[in-house]
Amino acid sequence: MQTETRADYDVVIMGGGIAGQFQARHLLLNVPGIRIALVDPRTEERVLEIDKIGESMVEVAALFAYKDLGLHEYFIENQPPKNGLNFHWPKDPSKTGAMDDYFSIWNNRNPPIASFQIHRGRLEVDLQRMNVQKGMVHCVGTVVDVDLTPGDEPHVVHVERAAGTREVLRAKHLVDAAGRRFIIGRKTDNVLTGPENLFGLNNGSVWVRVKNVDRTIFHDGYDPDNCATSHYYGTNHFFGHGHWLWMIPLDTGEMSLSVGAMFHHDQVDGKDLNTREKFYAFLKENHNVLYRLLESGEVIDFQYWPRVAHMPRTRMFSPDNWYVVGDAAYIGDAFYSMGTSTIAFAVSSVTEIVKRKLAGDPGAEEIRKTADDFNMWYSRTVIHLYHDHGKMLGDASVMSWRIYYEYIWWFGTHVPIFAGKWHLDPAFVRRLLANCERHFNAELYEELGELIARGKNIGFMDCYRADQLVFDYNTPKHFDKFIENAVWTPGMLNIYREVSRTYFYVAAWYAKFVLAGFGARGFVEKPRRAMHLARFLKQAAKATVLEKAHDLKHRGETRNPSVGRLRQEFRGYTHVPKLQPWARASGEPAAAIPAGTRPAA
Ligand SMILES: Cc1cc2nc3c(=O)[nH]c(=O)nc-3n(C[C@H](O)[C@H](O)[C@H](O)COP(=O)(O)OP(=O)(O)OC[C@H]3O[C@@H](n4cnc5c(N)ncnc54)[C@H](O)[C@@H]3O)c2cc1C
């Protein structure tokens, strides 16, 4: 007969991947005494096999990992660095044997927010150990069912242990971080799949991990004219018709590497890529330099996923205290490496809701709704970002413009929204949703498609260089100096300064784009273009008014409380020109020489 045990917790997390472990750590750091159980069937040996994908962090995930989870030292000591994203298009698709055969956008310096690549197995094991040390209960088992209960009644989680025993866990808050099992998604009919529900996105993926590669086949590290950072220790993206590929180093010792493709079913038949041999044959003809690099190493694993994208139908954070985060909630395409950043937005939201609910805060429901609205909106925004990607990826000219445009928004709004925790501010989120630019983006993607159909070369935009647009702008630029001045108190970073400048540079980019693509008559042919331009400038002006109001509201306040305390304390400081007395070897007291009586040497 099966034995069955029961236990009660504040939070049960189903799934111990990166989302579940990040969630547990963030709750443990922010809610003292919280009782958490995390359920995952995998043993440490199994986790270390790195069957997981998702190996590169960008700025939002990086800020979350170092600042909010206190893991910067961990990353420095255990994971390889990532110097931004580099982009490569073949000059001629029939000749791809060396990097000189590609047009490249190289990240030419260290990024302002440093980032890392992730060996997922190592990270998940290490996080699990840290969380258990902080008091998390790790339940090694599989969730076989959940009873979701309305209101504040505890949810019931049924777990099957490896030995065949059963365990019943009860918790007021239930987090589904079990990835594509969609434990809550299936129960609540909350999962949307298929291109008809995903703005046409219809992508699949295939990847291989290898070790002991000869890195010099890609690059020998010497590029004194072009770059002050490593080309190899970045994430390198290679493009071609209907697909793009990543190349991500997974360590600095064994020279292991992850190389994979995202492809669009409308342009590439997944059946032609679904074995390692077929994938290598594809690379040999289409990206020979990658093929040679992979052939120089030994294969660790190979995987093929025919379908990647999905998103939640109605909600991510329920008033009934269940939450979906990570792959259990949504994923679009790995192009901008945003998966772990979407997790940062979701996990930080869940912590805020749970913290307030456990404390009996009457404002908790408003935060829950705000966070749900924001994260649902973000899921749509992230998936729409890949609209018509399949048609454009292989066009170096159009894609370089698209990347530049999308980076203006990423660095100008997404990163500062997260840095200032504006995704949890009800008034800001209402404004953001009311001013969503998705319709404009859809129209823009159509125009980009039109240029591809006409075979037009509109030049090559380099998102990292400061000589492409106006006023020395380059996309990683921030305007509110929140990094330089360590402005991390929620709501203190002036998000409207970022928004107003972002709209201004979007306007500048759009004007340059219309002129390059359609000439001055482009504004006459389609007056909507001029109207868009005027609207961007109006939005910039409106945001400037809000920016000034924000400055006024916080006038005289120190934007970082610990700096404020230091400055306050420093007012009472006087320099004391003496040392503390200490004992000589002989045992007699020693003392510093009084000023002006220094003996001759
Ligand atoms: C091809 C590809 C490339 C990507 N590249 C990047 C990238 O470069 N950067 C980036 O940020 N993101 C990337 N992503 C996204 C990233 O992979 C995901 O955001 C991330 O892996 C999701 O982590 P997770 O913890 O939600 O899910 P998972 O890592 O899948 O974890 C789910 C966990 O739940 C457990 N589980 C499953 N069923 C049960 C059950 N019944 N009971 C208990 N536990 C269960 C599993 O054992 C597992 O540990 C990529 C995605 C794809 C598809």
Side-chain angles (χ1 to χ4, degrees):
M1 199 184 85
Q2 280 192 337
T3 50
E4 187 170 281
T5 52
R6 288 161 187 271
D8 286 337
Y9 296 93
D10 296 314
V11 183
V12 167
I13 300 171
M14 303 182 288
I18 193 168
Q21 300 292 354
F22 269 10
Q23 186 68 73
R25 183 168 172 87
H26 200 232
L27 283 165
L28 288 163
L29 289 168
N30 282 277
V31 190
I34 192 166
R35 296 167 309 151
I36 300 179
L38 181 145
V39 189
D40 195 295
R42 297 174 311 150
T43 58
E44 283 199 357
E45 294 71 38
R46 176 82 187 82
V47 178
L48 275 171
E49 283 169 13
I50 57 157
D51 60 337
K52 299 283 190 69
I53 197 71
E55 299 154 320
S56 142
M57 287 197 298
V58 288
E59 289 72 14
V60 168
L63 276 180
F64 186 61
Y66 317 151
K67 212 177 65 56
D68 299 341
L69 298 177
L71 292 172
H72 199 184
E73 284 154 10
Y74 167 79
F75 273 96
I76 291 171
E77 289 158 10
N78 295 281
Q79 307 281 352
K82 157 172 170 152
N83 290 319
L85 274 170
N86 303 318
F87 306 98
H88 315 290
W89 290 266
K91 293 173 184 169
D92 168 357
S94 67
K95 187 168 175 288
T96 55
M99 288 315 295
D100 284 346
D101 295 327
Y102 287 80
F103 292 117
S104 293
I105 297 174
W106 294 113
N107 187 13
N108 55 12
R109 59 199 184 273
N110 290 317
I113 298 169
S115 190
F116 289 86
Q117 319 282 14
I118 315 171
H119 182 293
R120 284 288 296 273
R122 205 159 49 224
L123 176 69
E124 288 175 16
V125 164
D126 292 342
L127 281 172
Q128 180 152 295
R129 288 180 187 164
M130 290 181 221
N131 287 337
V132 168
Q133 218 173 31
K134 283 195 174 298
M136 178 187 91
V137 172
H138 176 211
C139 177
V140 187
T142 304
V143 173
V144 287
D145 199 6
V146 290
D147 306 328
L148 299 177
T149 46
D152 282 347
E153 286 302 303
H155 302 293
V156 182
V157 181
H158 302 272
V159 179
E160 200 164 273
R161 300 271 200 170
T165 56
R166 287 257 175 162
E167 184 156 3
V168 173
L169 310 176
R170 291 168 11 120
K172 185 170 160 187
H173 298 278
L174 182 60
V175 179
D176 184 354
R180 290 161 180 262
R181 303 309 297 241
F182 303 125
I183 298 175
I184 290 182
R186 288 191 208 284
K187 278 254 157 188
T188 55
D189 188 22
N190 194 29
V191 186
L192 283 177
T193 55
E196 65 284 9
N197 293 311
L198 301 170
F199 307 110
L201 184 58
N202 188 12
N203 52 353
S205 189
V206 54
W207 63 91
V208 63
R209 256 92 52 129
V210 293
K211 62 181 177 183
N212 296 326
V213 295
D214 176 358
R215 171 163 65 71
T216 60
I217 293 173
F218 167 71
H219 204 275
D220 66 3
Y222 186 67
D223 188 6
D225 291 339
N226 202 27
C227 194
T229 186
S230 163
H231 289 332
Y232 179 77
Y233 288 108
T235 299
N236 282 279
H237 283 5
F238 294 74
F239 294 80
H241 178 71
H243 74 278
W244 67 272
L245 290 134
W246 70 84
M247 179 192 118
I248 299 177
L250 297 178
D251 57 46
T252 54
E254 238 190 351
M255 284 296 149
S256 51
L257 202 57
S258 168
V259 172
M262 272 287 170
F263 59 89
H264 293 266
H265 288 283
D266 306 345
Q267 277 81 26
V268 180
D269 189 343
K271 287 202 266 334
D272 293 335
L273 295 177
N274 61 7
T275 66
R276 191 188 64 76
E277 290 70 25
K278 289 184 199 173
F279 183 44
Y280 272 36
F282 167 83
L283 290 177
K284 190 174 180 185
E285 299 307 324
N286 289 285
H287 296 281
N288 190 260
V289 64
L290 282 179
Y291 169 74
R292 291 198 298 118
L293 186 64
L294 290 178
E295 280 286 34
S296 73
E298 303 140 45
V299 176
I300 304 172
D301 70 347
F302 167 84
Q303 291 195 47
Y304 169 73
W305 280 15
R307 303 264 163 230
V308 171
H310 60 87
M311 70 183 180
R313 186 189 299 277
T314 46
R315 64 172 25 118
M316 283 176 64
F317 312 139
S318 159
D320 295 330
N321 304 331
W322 57 253
Y323 314 89
V324 288
V325 299
D327 217 350
Y330 68 99
I331 183 176
D333 186 289
F335 185 71
Y336 286 115
S337 303
M338 282 174 74
T340 45
S341 289
T342 63
I343 288 171
F345 275 115
V347 163
S348 56
S349 302
V350 171
T351 299
E352 194 62 26
I353 301 166
V354 170
K355 185 170 83 176
R356 287 177 188 245
K357 287 205 170 183
L358 289 178
D361 179 343
E365 176 53 22
E366 190 187 16
I367 291 297
R368 200 264 330 145
K369 184 171 179 329
T370 299
D372 190 46
D373 288 349
F374 174 85
N375 283 277
M376 284 297 290
W377 170 82
Y378 204 58
S379 70
R380 268 78 185 143
T381 299
V382 165
I383 286 168
H384 192 259
L385 201 54
Y386 306 107
H387 182 63
D388 276 352
H389 236 210
K391 291 183 197 154
M392 292 182 203
L393 288 165
D395 187 314
S397 177
V398 160
M399 244 350 253
S400 73
W401 280 78
R402 182 166 175 170
I403 291 167
Y404 195 111
Y405 169 76
E406 287 164 350
Y407 262 8
I408 302 179
W409 289 108
W410 169 254
F411 287 105
T413 57
H414 301 220
V415 178
I417 285 173
F418 183 78
K421 302 292 182 284
W422 284 96
H423 57 293
L424 297 169
D425 183 287
F428 175 76
V429 169
R430 277 194 296 276
R431 235 176 233 137
L432 179 74
L433 269 54
N435 290 286
C436 172
E437 291 293 346
R438 204 173 300 140
H439 289 298
F440 168 76
N441 289 347
E443 207 178 305
L444 175 66
Y445 297 151
E446 251 174 55
E447 300 206 310
L448 291 169
E450 196 186 316
L451 293 173
I452 291 177
R454 283 171 29 201
K456 185 144 174 127
N457 176 353
I458 53 170
F460 193 56
M461 283 290 269
D462 184 327
C463 51
Y464 299 119
R465 294 186 60 89
D467 57 2
Q468 306 284 281
L469 210 53
V470 286
F471 305 137
D472 298 335
Y473 173 74
N474 54 107
T475 61
K477 192 165 171 166
H478 296 297
F479 303 98
D480 194 50
K481 305 280 176 276
F482 60 92
I483 298 172
E484 294 82 342
N485 295 326
V487 183
W488 305 120
T489 307
M492 196 52 100
L493 179 165
N494 192 337
I495 190 65
Y496 299 108
R497 184 165 291 125
E498 299 287 344
V499 171
S500 77
R501 305 307 185 275
T502 298
Y503 266 113
F504 173 79
Y505 287 108
V506 163
W509 178 93
Y510 189 60
K512 182 169 169 145
F513 164 71
V514 173
L515 290 174
F518 309 95
R521 68 189 158 76
F523 288 108
V524 184
E525 274 168 8
K526 280 199 186 163
R528 284 169 69 81
R529 292 183 177 133
M531 281 161 64
H532 285 314
L533 207 52
R535 187 172 55 77
F536 294 145
L537 292 172
K538 192 170 148 202
Q539 291 286 49
K542 264 170 60 183
T544 308
V545 174
L546 293 166
E547 172 197 338
K548 299 297 170 208
H550 185 277
D551 282 345
L552 205 61
K553 184 172 162 200
H554 295 286
R555 193 176 44 171
E557 287 177 40
T558 312
R559 301 215 297 161
N560 176 321
S562 65
V563 173
R565 279 193 297 277
L566 180 144
R567 288 184 181 157
Q568 183 68 28
E569 260 183 70
F570 202 79
R571 290 199 187 125
Y573 168 78
T574 42
H575 170 53
V576 180
K578 68 173 193 188
L579 295 170
Q580 299 305 304
W582 67 97
R584 287 203 175 105
S586 62
E588 300 158 42
I593 300 154
T597 61
R598 176 183 289 274

